Amino acid sequence: MLSWRGPGAVRKRAFHSHCLWTHHEAPGLGAAENAVCVCDGGERGAFHQKGASGQPYLWARLDRKPNKLAEKRFKNFLHSKQNSKEFFWNVEEDFKPVPECWIPAKEIEQLNGNPMPDENGHIPGWVPVEKNNKQYCWHSSVVNYEFEIALVLRHHSDDPGLLEISAVPLSDLLEQTLELIGTNINGNPYGLGSKKHPLHLLIPHGAFQIRNLPTLKHNDLLSWFEGCREGKIEGIVWHCSDGCLIKVHRHHLGLCWPIPDTYMNSKPVIINMNLNNYVYAFDAKCLFNHFSKIDNQKFGRLKDIILNV
């Protein structure tokens, strides 16, 4: 889900999001499933195999989920009780195995040294995105570990009415969550790329602010999503001063998503790769190479981008 934040918001995350952090600060609960993040590869366990210490690395959200027997017990308990926190979990026996490189999100509760499930019965966590891992091939397509850069979409720094696709140093994205959009993500609501030439990008959460924010009233929200040009988005997340997040998705109001003409596709976009500092050539098939061929070109909207393959 593409995230937009209102005035005063701090950070937002959604499906297919990403974040950057150092290995002693595993990312928190800020991103939902299929999220991605970057870690420094340092000294913790399997991180030795993920690159040199201090190197930013992309990670994906992976929740540890209960096995069938435990899930059945949990659902039966929820039918008879109001509070899921009262359920007793045996973490060592109730949950499916995860890869050795898996780490829990940093904000989850711990009991006797074991990470505990959230109210949904899942233990949020992260795994590193390897270059040749088919499960995360679209995530890995937007990052280059050799040059430590990522393909990022955001507003142009000098023109808020213009979008910009650029190669951003991973070090500039540390401690952020981001979202993956593109051809093979969530039905591709922004019309990026094609089946033959897929195209994916990262969007830092909080990169797009809402100027005319609606009030938290049903009719006002409905009118804003239906009648406002800025409302042609997937949803809004309010960031409260106490740290609470309030998310409103179009589906909560009975509205459709995806929609034909999104607000994101109403703005022109410029390619600004600035890859002259990189001595070695990129792989001919990678997105960085394709975007370098159309560097400095401007398109009327995201879905108009045609890669020179």
Side-chain angles (χ1 to χ4, degrees):
M1 166 179 163
L2 183 61
S3 311
W4 298 75
R5 69 174 190 175
V10 178
R11 189 176 67 183
K12 144 76 172 98
R13 63 297 132 195
F15 304 114
H16 294 282
S17 45
H18 317 264
C19 80
L20 307 171
W21 80 98
T22 59
H23 80 278
H24 23 300
E25 264 194 299
L29 306 180
E33 291 202 19
N34 295 313
V36 182
C37 48
V38 176
C39 153
D40 72 359
E43 302 170 353
R44 180 202 283 240
F47 291 172
H48 286 298
Q49 304 169 14
K50 309 307 174 191
S53 179
Q55 178 189 12
Y57 212 86
L58 196 66
W59 289 63
R61 173 73 178 264
L62 178 66
D63 285 6
R64 192 175 183 189
K65 299 179 180 180
N67 55 43
K68 289 185 177 181
L69 289 177
E71 184 177 23
K72 184 177 181 180
R73 285 194 297 112
F74 182 60
K75 287 183 177 180
N76 289 337
F77 180 85
L78 291 181
H79 285 144
S80 59
K81 300 285 185 180
Q82 294 291 328
N83 189 358
S84 63
K85 292 292 183 180
E86 297 177 4
F87 184 78
F88 174 77
W89 291 101
N90 184 332
V91 176
E92 295 182 356
E93 297 181 3
D94 287 343
F95 287 84
K96 299 176 183 178
V98 288
E100 290 184 7
C101 55
W102 180 87
I103 57 173
K106 66 181 180 181
E107 296 171 9
I108 63 175
E109 296 181 12
Q110 300 271 339
L111 181 64
N112 299 325
N114 291 319
M116 298 303 293
D118 59 18
E119 66 275 7
N120 298 312
H122 296 175
I123 305 176
W126 304 87
V127 291
V129 174
E130 301 290 0
K131 182 178 180 180
N132 298 318
N133 188 330
K134 292 183 179 180
Q135 183 178 355
Y136 299 110
C137 60
W138 310 123
H139 303 77
S140 62
S141 72
V142 298
V143 65
N144 184 294
Y145 291 132
E146 182 179 0
F147 301 118
E148 298 186 6
I149 52 178
L151 285 171
V152 173
L153 171 69
R154 54 191 176 185
H155 278 130
H156 192 280
S157 57
D158 297 326
D159 184 356
L162 178 66
L163 299 179
E164 178 186 63
I165 295 173
S166 57
V168 176
L170 295 180
S171 57
D172 290 354
L173 301 173
L174 284 169
E175 292 295 342
Q176 295 186 37
T177 58
L178 304 95
E179 181 171 351
L180 184 70
I181 64 169
T183 309
N184 297 290
I185 304 299
N186 290 341
N188 192 19
Y190 308 106
L192 286 171
S194 64
K195 184 176 181 180
K196 187 175 181 180
H197 303 300
L199 193 166
H200 299 86
L201 300 166
L202 292 173
I203 299 180
H205 288 135
F208 297 94
Q209 294 190 10
I210 293 174
R211 291 171 296 178
N212 302 308
L213 196 66
T215 61
L216 274 172
K217 295 181 180 179
H218 182 273
N219 289 340
D220 291 342
L221 288 168
L222 198 61
S223 297
W224 187 83
F225 276 111
E226 286 189 307
C228 176
R229 176 171 171 267
E230 197 177 16
K232 292 185 176 181
I233 59 175
E234 186 176 2
I236 310 173
V237 172
W238 281 262
H239 296 248
C240 306
S241 58
D242 62 356
C244 179
L245 300 178
I246 301 175
K247 179 168 70 174
V248 175
H249 190 284
R250 296 180 70 92
H251 291 158
H252 295 152
L253 302 168
L255 300 176
C256 293
W257 181 263
I259 55 178
D261 299 307
T262 63
Y263 182 57
M264 182 76 81
N265 252 318
S266 69
K267 295 186 176 187
V269 56
I270 191 169
I271 313 301
N272 185 14
M273 298 301 289
N274 192 25
L275 296 175
N276 296 331
N277 295 330
Y278 300 97
V279 179
Y280 302 103
F282 290 92
D283 184 284
K285 296 182 180 180
C286 79
L287 284 177
F288 292 90
N289 183 58
H290 296 328
F291 272 111
S292 68
K293 294 179 180 179
I294 57 173
D295 198 12
N296 298 316
Q297 290 190 33
K298 189 176 181 180
F299 298 87
R301 51 186 181 171
L302 283 173
K303 62 173 61 177
D304 292 338
I305 296 175
I306 300 177
L307 298 178
N308 185 14
V309 178

